[in-house]
Amino acid sequence: MQELHSIILQVMPACKLWFLDGKNSENKTVSNPNIGYGFQTISYVDGKTREFYQIGISANTTGISVYILGINDKKYLFETYGKNIGKASVSGYCIKFKTLKDINIDILEAAIKFGFEAQTS
């Protein structure tokens, strides 16, 4: 996790950091604790908005998840990075892997960079 943290900060050194404990407003656990990077405003259908991170990382029982949020095309991550990233599961916004040695770090870094740029362009 520390190495991944360093990689993300190399891609976006001055990004806002978020530290979430995985609990909601009622103090119920709703997710694994995670670290977020960057800043975006999410707009909901009902007109409400929420500030949130662009890239997130979380350790879980199966390894590590990297969340790349705010991508409109839910096939983009898989189609662009899925075949070359190594031993990872790639969904519409998440790249899951057991350890960093199982994946191509350059491909992961490119996906993270894309995630930051997708929200700032």
Side-chain angles (χ1 to χ4, degrees):
M1 290 293 285
Q2 289 177 333
E3 187 176 345
L4 184 55
H5 175 73
S6 295
I7 290 167
I8 296 170
L9 290 180
Q10 286 174 22
V11 172
M12 186 64 79
C15 67
K16 179 178 179 173
L17 291 176
W18 304 67
F19 299 95
L20 291 94
D21 62 5
K23 297 186 182 203
N24 67 10
S25 59
E26 288 94 38
N27 207 28
K28 281 180 86 173
T29 300
V30 294
S31 70
N32 290 319
N34 56 86
I35 303 170
Y37 304 84
F39 177 86
Q40 66 175 316
T41 301
I42 298 171
S43 298
Y44 294 98
V45 177
D46 65 2
K48 293 181 182 178
T49 61
R50 175 181 171 198
E51 296 176 348
F52 208 58
Y53 55 77
Q54 295 166 281
I55 307 294
I57 61 174
S58 176
N60 52 56
T61 56
T62 59
I64 300 168
S65 293
V66 177
Y67 305 101
I68 302 178
L69 305 177
I71 300 172
N72 292 327
D73 181 353
K74 298 303 174 200
K75 296 179 182 178
Y76 184 84
L77 275 184
F78 178 76
E79 291 175 349
T80 306
Y81 307 105
K83 292 180 183 170
N84 299 315
I85 199 158
K87 288 177 61 177
S89 165
V90 182
S91 71
Y93 66 93
C94 183
I95 300 171
K96 296 180 192 178
F97 50 92
K98 192 154 181 83
T99 67
L100 282 175
K101 68 181 179 182
D102 290 339
I103 62 166
N104 183 322
I105 299 294
D106 293 334
I107 300 296
L108 178 63
E109 190 173 320
I112 290 167
K113 186 175 182 184
F114 170 79
F116 279 124
E117 291 171 352
Q119 289 301 309
T120 56
S121 55

